[in-house]
Amino acid sequence: MRVQHRHIIYIQGYDPRGLAQYYRMFRTELRKFGRLYQLETTISRPKVASDNEIASWIIDTKAEDWQTRTSYDFLRFEDFIQQDLASPIWRTVFSAVWIYWRLVFAGTIARFGKANWRFATFITYPHLILLLEAIGAAAIAFVFEKGLNAIGIPDAFSIATAAAIFVALLGAMLKYTENATYVLYLLCDTIWTWEFSHRERPEWDQRIGRFAQHLVNVAKNTDADEIVIVGHSSGSFLSTEMLARALKLDPALGHHGPRVVLLTIGGNFPIVGYHAASKEFREHLRMLAVEPSIDWIDCQARKDVMNFYQFDPVTSHGIDVGSARRNPKIVPVRFRDIIRPEHYKKFRWQFFRVHFQFVMANELPNAYDFFMIVCGPVPLSARIAAPDAALDVATGDSGARDRAWKRIEAASAAATSAADLSKLEPSVRRSG
């Protein structure tokens, strides 16, 4: 099957920038994609739903011998995230430090380290910076306190003054170094994931429920050849939540209409799934692991410290479904292979920039190409099954493209046969 119309449902992670900046980035990267593969691309302006929760746009892509139309839905959470970041600094610091040490004593940080030491280091980083800034502020406050004592100021007044100086200095340091350190943002992220894991954010749950209904409606009404749900970063576990809830709303979701594919990229499932309170989330992972009508593809990159590399989202959560398992397909991505060496050297230590490479344009043709996944003619599951053939479709001459399509069709037929056989297995999905 060659895709002519694809419907993308993109779920953002914990990113306060929101629609305006994401759309500008997407439009810029789309132009780079077109230049790389010598394609004609056009993009419409975003249309925002009346409730401001979903923005949508259309991308038309044309090559020499294929063309596609992509309907793109951007599911929005930035209003919640911006509210979190507007919280008073003292409240953010106290809440995040309290949660972090609960994670330490519960052994959760150690489990993060066992699963991926880079991520454990990354989640500890803001607390180390906070400690250093607190030590600096305390040293200055101590000097002031001793100075006041030296000129005969009573201890009670000098200590109170030093405490006020400490609080003011620490708050100022956190605020004015935020653009360089991202400490307050990362502390808010820690608070949010803890509260989300413990079902203490009902507004998030309610919106995910509405997005699940949106997915059900799209699957029933679209004429697209495939629906791809994309969850980037924290959007990885948000997208699994949405899809699992959509399957509960409509158990036949993947059996009527287009094939539904879940694509999680740069995922960090353990920050929710490793909490003892996240039983329902782990049940949703179990559900998707055995669902024959859904394809789930999880892309991971070693260079990205903000995702869990070489991590199995199912077995690493203690979930064993035996021979019934069919998801996810774990795909390693090497950013070194998709970025020109001179550019890779410049940003390889810019952790947020590396993390967003998953959803940015390639500089070199590669089997992993986010915009080819969004705009190309090869179905995503077939792209993963025959990556070399998918690349030949994008870069080969006419003969190479014809041969590539035959390999893709053969791989798709084999995958379809395997899926049909899996339907004979007894389903354990409905345990939730």
Side-chain angles (χ1 to χ4, degrees), residues 33 36-37 361-362 364 366-374 383:
F33 161 72
L36 176 63
Y37 294 102
N362 286 15
L364 300 170
N366 191 268
Y368 179 85
D369 188 311
F370 178 72
F371 280 85
M372 195 60 81
I373 290 170
V374 169
R383 170 177 293 277

Side-chain angles (χ1 to χ4, degrees), residues 132-144 162 165-166 169-170 173:
L132 292 174
E133 293 189 348
I135 291 172
I140 295 172
F142 178 77
V143 170
F144 267 88
I165 289 173
F166 169 76
L169 274 177
L170 181 58
M173 292 169 71

Side-chain angles (χ1 to χ4, degrees), residues 94-135:
F94 276 109
S95 297
V97 170
W98 169 242
I99 288 170
Y100 180 80
W101 285 105
R102 290 182 72 178
L103 294 175
V104 170
F105 289 116
T108 307
I109 295 295
R111 293 184 68 196
F112 288 164
K114 185 177 180 180
N116 187 288
W117 68 268
R118 296 185 184 192
F119 186 87
T121 303
F122 177 76
I123 202 172
T124 302
Y125 152 79
H127 297 274
L128 294 176
I129 299 299
L130 174 63
L131 177 62
L132 292 174
E133 293 189 348
I135 291 172

